[in-house]
Amino acid sequence: MKRGIVLSLLSIAFLLWIEQSVEVAYIWKTMAKMILFLILPLILLRKAGFPFLRLRQTDRKSMMSATGSGVAIMGIIIVAFIFLQPFIDIAALLADLASAGITTTTFPFIALYILFGNSMLEEFYFRGLLPNLVGKSRIRFILPSFLFAIYHITIFLPWFNPALLILAVTGLWVGGVIFQLANEKSGTILPSWTIHMCADIGVLLIGVYIMYFY
């Protein structure tokens, strides 16, 4: 377990370094994330098993709760953006996206990846692998969610002032705990993946507004 947690922490640290210190296109960041979050764990930690991937075991009640929570979170994200837009440096956001190769031409393809691929990678890693490595301890709610929030700091750093950054990271931490709770009954990542995709739809709708109508 300790070996797996150390490996996970090193992977996150490496991805944070890539995000902040190396100017590479989004596609290369995505490849690095896929290797560190999915391929290496599947190879190195295969003996631990991945019971959280048995998606067919997910019960209907968990899915109904997840869908309702996801729609609510999507609405909260959109409403929060409407109120906080004056405090967001959208020019810096657009410049950061452009430097990563995200343009009006590439955005639709990247949006599809974010919605289905990226969400699955993050759910596999933060709501499946890490809690599985931690075990039944209550730390499985706190630590993976905290790392999930920390991982996203580098994404928000160029866009938000310190107060909004703290708010965003706190929201992600709390959201991560909610995601993990959604998986408790079924023991799979399908409920949290559903909520994650709903949240991403909210973010991507904001992205459409910024990219094409701002």
Side-chain angles (χ1 to χ4, degrees):
M1 183 182 79
K2 290 182 179 179
R3 176 184 155 193
I5 293 175
V6 170
L7 174 65
S8 301
L9 292 174
L10 290 175
S11 297
I12 292 173
F14 183 70
L15 287 172
L16 291 175
W17 174 74
I18 290 177
E19 192 72 41
Q20 277 299 296
S21 303
V22 183
E23 293 187 6
V24 295
Y26 185 81
I27 182 65
W28 297 113
K29 295 178 182 179
T30 299
M31 292 299 296
K33 186 173 183 177
M34 191 173 297
I35 292 171
L36 293 171
F37 275 15
L38 182 64
I39 296 175
L40 282 182
L42 286 176
I43 294 173
L44 299 178
L45 303 174
R46 62 185 181 278
K47 291 183 179 179
F50 306 101
F52 52 85
L53 291 180
R54 298 167 187 163
L55 304 185
R56 291 185 178 181
Q57 294 182 0
T58 310
D59 62 287
R60 184 176 180 181
K61 187 175 180 180
S62 292
M63 286 306 300
M64 290 178 65
S65 297
T67 303
S69 299
V71 172
I73 290 174
M74 178 173 60
I76 290 170
I77 289 172
I78 294 172
V79 171
F81 173 77
I82 293 171
F83 281 100
L84 297 175
Q85 182 179 346
F87 305 100
I88 300 174
D89 190 345
I90 294 182
L93 189 159
L94 288 170
D96 187 55
L97 293 176
S99 67
I102 303 175
T103 66
T104 53
T105 302
T106 61
F107 179 80
F109 304 101
I110 292 173
L112 286 174
Y113 160 73
I114 289 173
L115 183 58
F116 297 105
N118 184 72
S119 62
M120 182 57 183
L121 279 178
E122 293 188 355
E123 289 308 306
F124 172 86
Y125 194 78
F126 290 106
R127 247 71 65 182
L129 181 65
L130 290 185
N132 196 45
L133 292 173
V134 171
K136 295 298 182 180
S137 167
R138 292 187 181 274
I139 295 175
R140 75 184 186 280
F141 294 105
I142 305 301
L143 181 61
S145 300
F146 177 71
L147 293 175
F148 176 69
I150 292 298
Y151 169 71
H152 286 82
I153 283 182
T154 54
I155 300 173
F156 297 140
L157 200 56
W159 310 343
F160 298 160
N161 60 44
L164 281 183
L165 183 64
I166 292 173
L167 180 63
V169 172
T170 302
L172 281 167
W173 192 355
V174 173
V177 173
I178 294 173
F179 286 10
Q180 190 59 43
L181 287 170
N183 293 338
E184 282 300 289
K185 184 176 181 181
S186 64
T188 77
I189 60 172
L190 187 55
S192 62
W193 187 21
T194 300
I195 300 173
H196 196 148
M197 285 193 289
C198 288
D200 281 346
I201 290 173
V203 173
L204 292 172
L205 288 173
I206 293 170
V208 169
Y209 164 72
I210 291 173
M211 294 291 293
Y212 300 102
F213 301 102
Y214 181 73

